[in-house]
Amino acid sequence: MQTPNENYELVIIGGGPIGIACALEAEKKGISYVILEKGCLVNSLYHYPTNMTFFSTSEKLELNNIPFISNNPKPEKREALEYYRRITVANKINIHLFEKVTAVEPNIDSGHIVKTTKSEYHTSKVIIATGFYDIPNYLGVPGEDLPKVSHYYNDPHYYATQKTIVVGASNSAVDAALEIYRKGGDVTMIVRKPEIGERVKYWVRPDIVNRIEEGSIKAYFNAGIKEIRTKEVVIDTDEGEVSIPNDFALLLTGYRPNFGFLQDIGIHLSEDGRKIPEYDPETMETNIPGIYLAGVICGGTETHKWFIENSRVHAKMIMNDIGK
């Protein structure tokens, strides 16, 4: 059982790849630390679709120059889970799993107090590396709370023989549509834009375009959901309102960071709609002294700008500043 009022030089919030990278750099500097993760190890990655293949090649997902050996040029989810788990175990990373951070408050003496569902930590530095996968971008339409609606996709078998709509045209939506179709599902895509997004994985985009053109997967472009009902979905299209018979609705319209958590701490967000947190791009320190950001959370609503491969450097930047 954890002891209340634990003391560390550094508390890292988030046990994903970037949180682990920060821990590895802290060990190099001899900085005492703990990672606090509300779920399992690399929790967001664990909840990705079962058959997900990364856009990046394995070497771009490596941490601390530890080789990531994959059976294919682009690793699968299960390989990534194994890789990050082995790094954590082999390096004896100090991580507390299934412990959610509830507040980060200033300490009267100095530093910060990090409160969780299990304990309380006193620290001089905090790194927030919580990603963005926890809060969906809700559509706000009638029926979005029905049991048949989900904002997350896991395995295509669940939707076999069922009439399923997939809302969105990002990588996650396209992967779901193709997988469900190939497992015998009746798939209809609802796409807000006039075509499948250009950021879709280059080896997947021709597949989805061809399946739509041949009619294997139905698609409505320049369209949006108006209402979700028990046995149908009503959409708005260029040609008017259309009702589609439906069993399940996958609303894969993206996710966003927990902006409320950042604001409660006192971190400023841009007011231009992008909600980009305020931080020094040289040190990653926010407007709150001693509190840093790492990983995709730095992009605000622009969650496509930061990935594992281009935000691994945040760990070294932060430790170079802390260890001065």
Side-chain angles (χ1 to χ4, degrees):
M1 184 174 179
Q2 296 176 19
T3 304
N5 300 325
E6 298 186 56
N7 291 281
Y8 293 94
E9 295 176 71
L10 169 65
V11 170
I12 301 166
I13 305 174
I18 303 305
I20 294 171
C22 290
L24 292 170
E25 290 299 324
E27 289 191 345
K28 291 179 185 178
K29 296 282 189 180
I31 297 170
S32 67
Y33 73 90
V34 64
I35 297 177
L36 303 175
E37 167 57 56
K38 69 178 177 56
C40 65
L41 182 66
V42 290
N43 188 66
S44 292
L45 197 161
Y46 175 77
H47 286 96
Y48 284 172
T50 300
N51 300 320
M52 192 198 80
T53 298
F54 281 84
F55 187 94
S56 305
T57 51
S58 57
E59 73 275 6
K60 292 182 178 180
L61 302 176
E62 292 176 353
L63 303 181
N64 205 34
N65 295 317
I66 300 170
F68 183 169
I69 307 302
S70 171
N71 292 325
N72 301 293
K74 299 179 186 299
E76 299 174 351
K77 167 187 167 178
R78 58 179 180 80
E79 293 177 311
L81 289 176
E82 178 71 14
Y83 175 71
Y84 295 120
R85 182 172 64 248
R86 285 182 175 273
I87 286 179
T88 301
V89 174
N91 289 275
K92 297 182 173 61
I93 298 295
N94 186 23
I95 182 168
H96 294 179
L97 299 175
F98 305 101
E99 183 171 356
K100 182 179 180 179
V101 173
T102 57
V104 179
E105 301 172 352
N107 194 334
I108 295 176
D109 299 325
S110 64
H112 311 275
I113 299 174
V114 180
K115 297 181 178 180
T116 76
T117 51
K118 295 182 178 180
S119 190
E120 186 175 285
Y121 302 82
H122 292 199
T123 182
S124 59
K125 308 292 183 183
V126 176
I127 298 175
I128 302 173
T130 49
F132 71 101
Y133 198 57
D134 292 330
I135 304 176
N137 289 321
Y138 294 102
L139 297 182
V141 298
E144 192 168 7
D145 58 348
L146 287 173
K148 73 174 192 175
V149 177
S150 177
H151 294 85
Y152 294 90
Y153 164 72
N154 184 24
D155 192 283
H157 174 81
Y158 189 80
Y159 303 97
T161 78
Q162 299 296 286
K163 293 179 173 61
T164 302
I165 64 160
V166 177
V167 180
S170 62
N171 280 301
S172 58
V174 168
D175 285 345
L178 287 170
E179 288 185 5
I180 293 170
Y181 153 68
R182 293 198 164 100
K183 294 300 182 183
D186 181 344
V187 181
T188 299
M189 296 189 72
I190 311 299
V191 183
R192 179 170 51 87
K193 295 183 179 181
E195 61 180 3
I196 297 297
E198 291 294 336
R199 288 202 297 268
V200 169
K201 291 174 282 193
Y202 64 85
W203 67 93
V204 174
R205 193 173 188 276
D207 189 3
I208 189 65
V209 169
N210 288 334
R211 301 294 75 74
I212 291 172
E213 288 181 352
E214 71 185 16
S216 297
I217 293 175
K218 296 177 285 294
Y220 290 89
F221 294 99
N222 295 315
I225 298 291
K226 181 177 182 180
E227 183 180 358
I228 302 171
R229 300 171 182 167
T230 304
K231 295 183 179 181
E232 63 183 350
V233 172
V234 181
I235 66 172
D236 284 322
T237 73
D238 288 340
E239 298 178 358
E241 188 177 290
V242 176
S243 178
I244 306 171
N246 174 256
D247 298 307
F248 290 100
L250 282 171
L251 310 185
L252 304 181
T253 51
Y255 311 92
R256 61 182 179 85
N258 189 340
F259 295 120
F261 178 69
L262 297 180
Q263 290 174 313
D264 287 344
I265 294 171
I267 296 173
H268 298 157
L269 305 179
S270 67
E271 298 180 356
D272 57 3
R274 297 181 298 165
K275 296 188 176 181
I276 296 175
E278 182 178 331
Y279 65 91
D280 184 333
E282 299 295 324
T283 66
M284 308 308 295
E285 188 173 27
T286 69
N287 58 283
I288 306 297
I291 296 184
Y292 299 78
L293 300 180
V296 71
I297 197 169
C298 300
T301 61
E302 297 179 329
T303 53
H304 61 279
K305 287 197 171 182
W306 292 104
F307 304 96
I308 298 171
E309 59 264 39
N310 68 353
S311 61
R312 295 175 298 179
V313 297
H314 293 169
K316 285 188 177 181
M317 295 164 63
I318 294 169
M319 292 311 152
N320 286 337
D321 191 62
I322 291 176
K324 288 191 295 188

